[in-house]
Amino acid sequence: MQHRSEVEAADALKYAYEQIRAEIGKVIIGQDEVIKFVLISIFSNGHCLLVGVPGLAKTLLVQTVAQVLDLDFKRIQFTPDLMPSDIIGAEILGEDRNFKFIPGPVFSNIILADEINRTPPKTQAALLEAMQEKAVTAAGVTHKLSKPFFVLATQNPIEQEGTYPLPEAQLDRFMFNVALNYPSFKEELQVVKNTTSTHQVTVNKQLNAEQIIYFQQLVRNIPVTDNVLEYAVKLVSKTRPDSEFATPQVKRLLNWGAGPRASQFLILGAKCHAVLNGKYSPDIEDVRAVAKPILSHRIVRSYHAEAEGLSAGDIIEQLF
């Protein structure tokens, strides 16, 4: 893409975002918040964890996003017998008696890790290493992954039997943890009407890989004022029971707070949120807009919070 002023580029990203939303809206009815956070995490070069019951169109959403952004897409169904080599690939002995690396499904732009909590920690760790390093190592050789690289993992909140919940350190790799809710009555009527007829929808490609990488760089270049930076870091510090900013309420309700990665994601998410809303620099409102899905999986509630029925979201509301 040719060089343009950052203001023009920010306007171009806002326009592209609106076009992408319109195309996704042809297929996905409702779920506006979810779509917004998935797109913010792509433009912020982060990853996203979706938590929702089966049948809420999680797979369809990711397929549609990949189509509209003209990116390669692979779906990995996580099962208890899935091995790390089923994700990253393996060395096999070729006809010439030499070993060669056969890439696994992780070598794609968008990965849907379906029901990530159904597979043992060893296999989860293989994917999470790829997410962090943007590369995989097999037989001592490092293989770089495609760019852009985005993992959208889904987790089923029910049927916890036979599941392996992601540890806090691994949850921390995800920029957002987004809860999917059931559609409204009106939305569900529309979904059923569309999916039980011969109704066919064609979505048009809006961006390509090169443009997405350009916009990811643009988001990082957005200026941010010191007061917004301080607000974000202080908000994260408030979640840590032993911090100077922690209130007596936080000390009582939380056992563990968010780490520095949360502060980084708050600023990146706020920058992207600002641009998508026609601003050229984030303010405190932008930080608040992305705070819940960034902080909710990084704080560990105490016995008191659980006894009082307070969710992570309720506690984050109190921090504001």
Side-chain angles (χ1 to χ4, degrees), residues 192-212:
V192 174
K193 190 176 172 185
N194 290 357
T195 54
T196 55
S197 67
T198 52
H199 179 73
Q200 287 287 329
V201 173
T202 310
V203 294
N204 303 308
K205 295 175 175 28
Q206 294 298 325
L207 291 179
N208 58 33
E210 192 189 337
Q211 290 169 312
I212 292 163

Side-chain angles (χ1 to χ4, degrees), residues 29-45:
I29 310 296
Q31 305 292 13
D32 290 342
E33 280 281 280
V34 178
I35 295 167
K36 178 179 84 174
F37 288 127
V38 166
L39 292 174
I40 288 177
S41 57
I42 291 176
F43 289 125
S44 304
N45 202 7

Side-chain angles (χ1 to χ4, degrees), residues 11-76:
D11 290 340
L13 174 53
K14 181 179 185 287
Y15 176 75
Y17 170 72
E18 284 162 1
Q19 298 301 107
I20 292 164
R21 287 290 295 257
E23 289 299 317
I24 294 171
K26 290 180 184 176
V27 180
I28 305 293
I29 310 296
Q31 305 292 13
D32 290 342
E33 280 281 280
V34 178
I35 295 167
K36 178 179 84 174
F37 288 127
V38 166
L39 292 174
I40 288 177
S41 57
I42 291 176
F43 289 125
S44 304
N45 202 7
H47 306 286
C48 197
L49 180 65
L50 294 183
V51 181
V53 296
L56 294 182
K58 297 187 284 286
T59 308
L60 183 62
L61 168 62
V62 190
Q63 274 174 329
T64 309
V65 168
Q67 244 177 313
V68 175
L69 299 180
D70 196 16
L71 296 173
D72 289 334
F73 163 70
K74 294 264 169 54
R75 176 175 178 270
I76 307 169

Side-chain angles (χ1 to χ4, degrees), residues 223-234 267 281-282 284:
V224 58
T225 57
D226 285 349
N227 72 311
V228 174
L229 265 175
E230 283 169 19
Y231 179 81
V233 175
K234 194 181 267 189
I267 290 299
S281 179
I284 284 168

Side-chain angles (χ1 to χ4, degrees), residues 97 127 149 265 310:
R97 314 298 295 163
L127 176 70
F149 176 68
F265 281 143
L310 290 172

Side-chain angles (χ1 to χ4, degrees), residues 207-245:
L207 291 179
N208 58 33
E210 192 189 337
Q211 290 169 312
I212 292 163
I213 293 165
Y214 172 82
F215 284 136
Q216 286 176 341
Q217 197 54 50
L218 170 77
V219 167
R220 294 193 89 87
N221 288 339
I222 298 289
V224 58
T225 57
D226 285 349
N227 72 311
V228 174
L229 265 175
E230 283 169 19
Y231 179 81
V233 175
K234 194 181 267 189
L235 185 61
V236 173
S237 296
K238 279 182 178 178
T239 67
R240 300 171 191 156
D242 56 353
S243 150
E244 58 182 302
F245 301 111

